[in-house]
Amino acid sequence: MTFQETAVETELLELSDLGPRVVAIGGGHGLAQVLEAAQGYAGTLTAIVTVADDGGSSGRLTSSLDIPPPGDIRKCLLALSPRPSVPRELFAYRFEESDVAGHSLGNLMLAALTELLEGDFEAAIRIASSLLGTVGRVVPVARQSLHLQAVVEGRLVDGQAAITKTRGAISELRLVPEDEKANPEALEAIASADQILVGPGSLFTSVLPALVVPGMSEALNHAPGRIVCILNLVTQDGETLGMSCVDHIAALRRIGGL
């Protein structure tokens, strides 16, 4: 059996068949924390992860290797790997010096697996899940990297990292390419879920970028499961400063289509 065949046939360890089928959507630390909490009651658990991150280690790897950003994927894989292990320690390790300073080894391993599998990022995720012994699935919301743009106070701000640092009301989010459709595996997970968790996390640069991918809002609006929106404890300077709870929900409806 070839390495690629092994990747394709890798099966993930399920939590149990007794609890609800739970899907969590977003990115960053917020999604990782939700995944850790949901393990306490979910029967099966799927993370649908944004692919619009262009900062830090992810941004460097995305631009140089033409792969989806691995950072948020790595966080979710670690959140779904509750048992201590050497692979888990390796995936969490971050270099602090030399030309690899700032890179997480987990990001580099996902990049290496993608190259070994001839560009199949999703197969790389499945191999990583097998190595880590995850108790759920991690699914990128789209099959290629997406570039995020926002209209802030009437002007266009380019890039996820730049948006996080720009103060002002955000009226619109755009993805480039705009016609890249949602990952079919993500849509299938939503269609079969009993519960769909949206957030918490950076509203305009983690949560909404996953919702505005073509096909996502339609899938959510037709989903049989209950949608639960989890808001942040505090507002975020540069994105949601001054926004109330009602404002957050309004943005999820207006921009995210919920």
Side-chain angles (χ1 to χ4, degrees):
M1 180 177 291
T2 67
F3 184 53
Q4 186 161 2
E5 287 170 343
T6 303
V8 171
E9 294 182 7
T10 298
E11 295 183 358
L12 304 182
L13 178 65
E14 301 291 357
L15 295 169
S16 80
D17 294 325
L18 301 178
R21 295 181 295 263
V22 178
V23 167
I25 304 172
H29 295 290
L31 179 56
Q33 291 175 334
V34 163
L35 295 174
E36 291 179 0
Q39 290 171 43
Y41 68 90
T44 63
L45 185 54
T46 301
I48 299 177
V49 190
T50 179
V51 289
D53 183 9
D54 62 5
S57 172
S58 284
R60 290 161 63 187
L61 292 172
T62 298
S63 60
S64 61
L65 299 177
D66 192 26
I67 63 171
D72 287 350
I73 298 288
R74 174 185 56 84
K75 290 185 181 76
C76 291
L77 289 169
L78 289 171
L80 292 171
S81 308
R83 294 186 293 273
S85 67
V86 172
R88 193 183 194 285
E89 292 299 315
L90 289 172
F91 259 76
Y93 183 81
R94 186 175 296 275
F95 294 95
E96 297 181 358
E97 299 178 353
S98 75
D99 57 350
V100 291
H103 276 303
S104 162
L105 183 56
N107 290 354
L108 296 176
M109 292 173 72
L110 284 168
L113 283 168
T114 303
E115 288 203 3
L116 286 170
L117 296 166
E118 301 178 353
D120 193 336
F121 186 62
E122 291 175 84
I125 295 171
R126 290 193 291 271
I127 287 288
S129 296
S130 178
L131 291 171
L132 291 164
T134 62
V135 293
R137 292 186 299 160
V138 178
V139 179
V141 70
R143 285 180 162 163
Q144 67 169 305
S145 177
L146 298 172
H147 187 72
L148 185 65
Q149 298 177 328
V151 178
V152 185
E153 302 288 354
R155 61 191 179 92
L156 187 67
V157 179
D158 192 59
Q160 178 264 344
I163 295 167
T164 63
K165 301 174 183 177
T166 304
R167 286 190 176 186
I170 297 176
S171 59
E172 183 182 352
L173 288 179
R174 302 172 184 172
L175 292 173
V176 180
E178 62 181 14
D179 59 349
E180 176 66 19
K181 295 182 180 180
N183 188 337
E185 190 174 347
L187 301 181
E188 290 170 8
I190 290 171
S192 62
D194 299 308
Q195 184 186 71
I196 302 163
L197 308 176
V198 178
S202 298
L203 180 63
F204 292 101
T205 55
S206 287
V207 179
L208 282 169
L211 302 185
V212 298
V213 176
M216 282 293 289
S217 63
E218 293 85 353
L220 289 167
N221 283 314
H222 289 90
R226 174 172 292 185
I227 298 176
V228 179
C229 295
I230 306 171
L231 301 185
N232 300 325
L233 293 175
V234 296
T235 56
Q236 183 176 353
D237 190 9
E239 281 196 41
T240 58
L241 189 65
M243 290 180 63
S244 67
C245 174
V246 172
D247 294 332
H248 280 71
I249 298 298
L252 287 169
R253 290 185 176 276
R254 174 174 49 85
I255 298 177
L258 294 184

